[in-house]
Amino acid sequence: MRRDVTFRSVLKAVSREAGWEILRAVAEGPTRFTYLEKNARVSPRTLSERLKELTELGLIERVAYPEVPPRVEYTLTARGRTVIEILGALEEVL
Amino acid sequence: MRRDVTFRSVLKAVSREAGWEILRAVAEGPTRFTYLEKNARVSPRTLSERLKELTELGLIERVAYPEVPPRVEYTLTARGRTVIEILGALEEVL
DNA sequence: CAGGATCCAATTGGATACTG
DNA sequence: CAGTATCCAATTGGATCCTG
């Protein structure tokens, strides 16, 4: 279920709880759920929701490895990189 | 009562209901309450809140003229112009 | 004209416990 | 490990009516 990738929806997602932190963490390299849970100080409920949102918006990508125990990594997409760069520029000047 | 002007709070304000529309309308030139109420399709309650928020964030400025009937105009600040330009660039590429 | 006050419905997110 | 389910409190915004 792909959601409409509008300017507004991207802004909303990023400005929500832990949205920006998660995006930036993933931009550093493949990132896992548990790492984010600790590092972004966010409840699993919200983290899960945010990851799904950012994925549906095409800013990050979910890759699951068929291992035991399960391993899932999130990586930045090209679109995500664009968003990071532009919003990062805004963050700089504010 | 000045609120902390952080990257996050600016993103939030702009991504909220009618936030971006209001900012862009004001960027066109001095803008009045009633004009925005009709043009941004927003309830007076939300419009009032958003204007206060954008003002406290230093993105727009409120100028009241001591006339009867009262006239109030909102104009863009330099900071507001910066935000418009950067976010506008993001809107372009999405 | 430019809002403020009130009431209400929907959305959002924390805490916690549980599962494939 | 990577989430999901549930319950609950706070936030947000529409509709409507009122006022300096």
Side-chain angles (χ1 to χ4, degrees):
Chain A
M1 191 235 307
R2 172 142 288 264
R3 76 176 61 193
D4 64 318
V5 184
T6 64
F7 170 62
R8 184 50 137 300
S9 54
V10 167
L11 270 197
K12 265 209 136 185
V14 173
S15 68
R16 280 195 186 143
E17 189 59 38
W20 181 238
E21 288 77 3
I22 291 173
L23 194 60
R24 285 219 315 206
V26 174
E28 297 297 306
T31 315
R32 303 178 63 172
F33 194 95
T34 306
Y35 173 79
L36 289 169
E37 195 172 352
K38 293 171 188 167
N39 208 274
R41 271 90 168 291
V42 60
S43 70
R45 185 195 183 291
T46 301
L47 175 56
S48 171
E49 204 172 85
R50 206 62 66 242
L51 286 171
K52 195 177 300 178
E53 220 176 339
L54 294 173
T55 301
E56 288 174 355
L57 288 171
L59 304 188
I60 64 179
E61 206 163 11
R62 182 183 189 275
V63 183
Y65 299 90
E67 305 173 356
V68 180
R71 180 162 60 101
V72 175
E73 292 184 344
Y74 291 90
T75 57
L76 202 67
T77 63
R79 181 187 297 269
R81 170 95 36 213
T82 299
V83 171
I84 283 263
E85 281 169 358
I86 296 182
L87 290 187
L90 179 60
E91 189 176 27
E92 282 298 308
V93 301
L94 282 182
Chain B
M1 193 233 308
R2 172 142 287 265
R3 77 174 63 192
D4 64 319
V5 184
T6 65
F7 171 62
R8 183 49 137 300
S9 55
V10 167
L11 271 197
K12 264 210 137 185
V14 172
S15 69
R16 280 195 186 142
E17 189 59 38
W20 181 238
E21 289 78 1
I22 291 172
L23 194 60
R24 284 218 317 205
V26 174
E28 297 297 307
T31 315
R32 304 179 63 173
F33 194 94
T34 306
Y35 172 80
L36 289 169
E37 194 172 354
K38 292 171 188 168
N39 208 274
R41 272 90 167 290
V42 60
S43 70
R45 185 194 182 294
T46 301
L47 175 56
S48 170
E49 205 171 85
R50 206 63 65 242
L51 286 172
K52 192 177 303 178
E53 219 176 338
L54 294 173
T55 301
E56 288 174 354
L57 288 170
L59 304 188
I60 64 178
E61 207 163 12
R62 181 183 190 276
V63 184
Y65 298 90
E67 305 173 353
V68 180
R71 179 163 61 102
V72 175
E73 291 184 345
Y74 292 90
T75 57
L76 202 67
T77 63
R79 180 186 298 268
R81 171 95 36 216
T82 299
V83 171
I84 282 263
E85 281 169 358
I86 296 182
L87 290 187
L90 179 61
E91 188 176 27
E92 282 297 309
V93 301
L94 284 182

